[in-house]
Amino acid sequence: MDLQIKNLLKTFDGFVALDRITLNVEEREFVCLLGPSGCGKTTLLRIIAGLMPYDAGELLMGGRDLGTVPARDRGFGIVFQSYSLFPNMTVAQNIGYGLKIRKAPRDRIAARVGELLDLIKLPKVADRYPWQLSGGQQQRVALARALAVDPSLILLDEPLSALDARVRADLRTEIRDVQRRLGIPTIMVTHDQEEALTLADKVVCMNHGLIEQVGTPQDLYLRPRTRFVADFMGSSNLLPTAWVRETMPHLMPGRPDGAENAFEACVRPERVAVTPAPDADGRVIDLTFLGNIRRLRLSWRGRELLAETNRDPGVEPGAAVDVSVAADACAWVRA
Amino acid sequence: MTAPSLALTDKTRPRRASRPLDERLLFGACVLVPVVALVLFFLLPLATIVWRSVTEESGGIGVANYLALFRTPGILRAVGNSLLVGTATTAVCLVLGFAVAYAAQRTRVPGKRFVAAALSLPLLAPSLVLGLGLIFLLGRNGLVSNLLGVRLNIYGFPGLLIANVLYALPQAVLIIQAALRQSDARYYDAAEVMGATRLQQFLGITLPNVKFGLLSAGFVVFTVTITDFGNAVTIGGDFSVLATEIYNQVTGQMKFGIGAAVGILLLLPTGIAVYIERVAAQRQFGTASESALPPVPDRLPMRDIPLFLVTMTLALSIAAVVATVVFASVVRLWPYRLDFTTKHYAITLSGGYDPLWTSLGVSAATAGIGTVLLFALVLGLRRMPPGLAKAVYLLAVLPVGVPGLVLGLSYIFAFNLAGTPLHMLYGTALLLALCNFYHYHTQGFLTMVTGMRAVPAALEEAAGCLGGGVLRVLGDVVVPVMVPTLLSVFFFLFMRSMVTLSAIIFLVSPSTNLAAVTVMRLDEAGFVSQAAAFSTCIMAAVAAAALAMRGALALAGRRKAA
């Protein structure tokens, strides 16, 4: 089933939290709501879950209007950042809770719990209590709990934010595998652009209650449409039109029509090519070693540029370098 | 629990041999003096009562006293009555306490502030004020009997049950409310999305998560009820209970051995209560997540209207009972002649208002001595090796497990021994102050520990590195941060000491009579209006202290902000 959101409006005491959001989540699709805190992404997720009412607009699941359906009858699964396993129940009881509420027979619940524990690769923890598990384990159990009732939609509210880096990477892969295998449409809220890039089929980048851009991870990274998206998805050089016209006229043909200040050129640091040349007009300001890549700050024709390379550029701070940007390396974004 | 964190600074920092001698002496004394006092005025009396309970009249060692309990007919009946009234009070308090706590914590039922204020009234007064008020309202010559023209009989089980419920309810509410606060809105969100109805959420999440709170509240109420003295004396009538019976056995018939044996038995329920509380604290610690969001109170008429009626009825009842006592103290003849008079404030019992002044003095001493000793103890504990600190910590929280009645009894055994150096203290106001302090030692200590945790060790170290001596660091860093805590502990000890009856009832002498005891004597002698007048004076003093505490805390807070 697919989820359709049309012109969804939500205000809190006059403050517009969601400004007429329109979005589709297709069958089997993994959608990430990405944005800084306060952008409305969690509000949108809670409205979809039915935990919060909305002011205007439409919410349709497989064509059925969800507006009057309470959360408990929507049949979704949800996972929170804070695990939120019921502390008074064992792992098995937590996972089986939704089925118990649906009055499933005891042996069927037990079978389903066993199946899910295998799926999350924790077959031996059935009788433990949440506080006896690590954070990563608790979050897997929370995922199993959400999956137990065969939800028509899975909602993940920053599920990885409370975990440390290593566990986070492992669990990220696992969530992706499970979602692919079961083919359940999934919406995840995150403020981590790397997480969104690796997990999502479709990224929804939000800011101030508005959708800035919707697209595949490649779209958002390589072809950002607004300055905000370019800035939020990794680092970039944002260059004013006048300066580009003067220094790199070969980038101008791609520019959409519009006022001088309406668009800026976005050039990703890895697309700024740097070659040492004794009489060139670029200068290396400093150089940072980050392991897999090296980051250079350059001074070139009156501006400071950021460049990244995964090879040793063979320069020292202060060295003269030649700077070039390929014609296809630039995306014009709305300022 | 908290013991390891007390000594954290010592654990993380390699021990330095060059810590100045004066510093070591100071902090050594800080721990030594309070610990010696704890041993002398808490452990020793407790050991004495254990010893006396197994000392037979012939002088040998044995269980004769315990066996004698069962052969004393009065005692057996009193035990049965105590268990009956204790169980009934506990059951009623748990149901009502849960309703009040739930309304306050999880709903938007109106009038929460009024309910909270009414529920704090019993804490401002000696327990017997509730008994007194109930008699004024529902007694044979009470307001209701007079209006309806029937003669209600409130004395005995029904009166005692109501008085105990009103007295113990605030404590049950505090514990259950704290347990209800320990939750996460996400549990309910998760359950909601999984399809659970409100009732299923309540039965599956809310109730199981407060079961330790309920259990702990149950034991506290049970203990408070079976060891309470005031209500049993005022409204118990012929319904004899354990507390009054021990008092008779010990002070009336001088059967010290039996008294000691009953005292030991009374340690059991409190012991269990304290144990459950510790287990609960650990379990809750295990489940609390740092990012927990408190559940948002909501509206639900089907639930809220009955809850509103129940909580309001309770709050109004408590307020009415206390207000009746005040009102009855200023009318000529309650409830027949209601014209205003102050004649009941001329106390005819020997000594007049002396006991009130004694009480104020004793309470001030309790608060002063207690605050200084507790501050020193907590200060010293921070610098002790972890193992030792943990042992001292355990000793310091032990007094909560000993009901006042048992503590008072044990003081008789320990200090009423001619020929020992401690005998000098017997019958003095100082011993009363010490008894009150150790009665409420644990609560004061835990408050102090929490307050001390707010003093950053780094601040102290910084001041030390700048060349400040120990006393400078104390005066410039520790004390300013601790002012609100010190004030809270001081006024807590003062107010409790003003109203408690159960420990000091065994220790007062004609020259050191206390206010709460005087109310009881006036009531016993039939001067009920004077008893009401005296109670009003106590409540006024305690309320004034409570206001003074608020004022002082506000002042301290403002100075900090400035």
Side-chain angles (χ1 to χ4, degrees), chain B residues 126-178:
Chain B
S127 64
L128 70 172
V129 165
L130 293 166
L132 208 57
L134 277 177
I135 292 170
F136 282 132
L137 282 174
L138 303 171
R140 248 163 272 168
N141 291 316
L143 187 66
V144 175
S145 296
N146 193 34
L147 288 176
L148 298 179
V150 291
R151 301 213 130 212
L152 290 174
N153 187 9
I154 183 83
Y155 293 95
F157 180 75
L160 192 54
L161 176 63
I162 302 174
N164 280 335
V165 166
L166 296 186
Y167 178 61
L169 188 65
Q171 303 175 54
V173 171
L174 284 181
I175 297 171
I176 300 170
Q177 205 174 335

Side-chain angles (χ1 to χ4, degrees), chain B residues 234-258:
Chain B
T234 22
I235 205 167
D238 298 334
F239 190 79
S240 81
V241 293
L242 208 47
T244 44
E245 199 56 36
I246 303 187
Y247 182 67
N248 290 336
Q249 295 283 341
V250 172
T251 59
Q253 304 175 37
M254 298 296 165
K255 286 186 180 166
F256 290 108
I258 287 181

Side-chain angles (χ1 to χ4, degrees), chain A residues 221-242:
Chain A
Y221 188 79
L222 300 176
R223 290 174 289 281
R225 281 209 299 267
T226 68
R227 187 193 166 96
F228 176 83
V229 176
D231 220 23
F232 197 77
M233 307 289 293
S235 43
S236 57
N237 294 295
L238 290 163
L239 311 167
T241 306

Side-chain angles (χ1 to χ4, degrees), chain B residues 408-439:
Chain B
L409 261 177
S410 72
Y411 267 49
I412 300 188
F413 296 138
F415 300 106
N416 192 15
L417 283 176
T420 60
L422 291 172
H423 182 61
M424 288 185 323
L425 285 170
Y426 194 72
T428 63
L430 180 62
L431 192 67
L432 292 175
L434 287 168
C435 179
N436 278 339
F437 169 46
Y438 286 102
H439 187 181

Side-chain angles (χ1 to χ4, degrees), chain A residues 46 49 51 71-72 75-78 80 82 84-89 94-95 97-98 101-103 129 131 145 157, chain B residues 184 186-198 200-201 204-205 208-209 211 283 286-287 289 291-292:
Chain A
R46 292 179 66 82
L51 295 169
R72 69 177 75 103
F76 297 168
I78 193 163
F80 298 104
S82 52
S84 307
L85 297 177
F86 305 125
N88 52 301
M89 301 181 196
N94 261 290
I95 298 177
Y97 188 65
I101 282 167
R102 285 166 178 70
K103 302 205 164 54
Y129 282 91
W131 54 274
R145 184 177 68 176
D157 186 4
Chain B
D184 190 339
R186 306 286 194 206
Y187 299 152
Y188 296 92
D189 285 349
E192 182 80 21
V193 172
M194 289 167 84
T197 61
R198 277 189 177 274
Q200 283 171 324
Q201 290 175 26
I205 302 170
N209 280 325
K211 74 178 168 209
R283 283 294 289 273
T287 58
S289 102
S291 55

Side-chain angles (χ1 to χ4, degrees), chain B residues 10-70:
Chain B
D10 267 36
K11 213 182 193 172
T12 52
R13 198 196 307 151
R15 198 160 295 172
R16 288 173 302 184
S18 60
R19 186 176 279 184
L21 185 65
D22 63 330
E23 194 174 321
R24 269 183 293 161
L25 280 179
L26 181 74
F27 290 122
C30 270
V31 177
L32 197 63
V33 174
V35 168
V36 167
L38 258 172
V39 170
L40 276 184
F41 297 103
F42 175 68
L43 276 191
L44 179 72
L46 217 57
T48 320
I49 197 172
V50 173
W51 177 248
R52 285 298 290 267
S53 80
V54 294
T55 307
E56 298 179 355
E57 265 172 63
S58 59
I61 306 290
V63 291
N65 286 321
Y66 292 91
L67 293 177
L69 270 183
F70 297 99

Side-chain angles (χ1 to χ4, degrees), chain B residues 369-407:
Chain B
I369 296 172
T371 310
V372 170
L373 283 180
L374 287 173
F375 180 61
L377 181 60
V378 173
L379 198 65
L381 268 186
R382 287 241 282 199
R383 290 165 182 79
M384 294 207 356
L388 202 56
K390 193 162 187 180
V392 173
Y393 183 94
L394 273 179
L395 178 62
V397 296
L398 214 50
V400 79
V402 180
L405 191 71
V406 181
L407 192 67

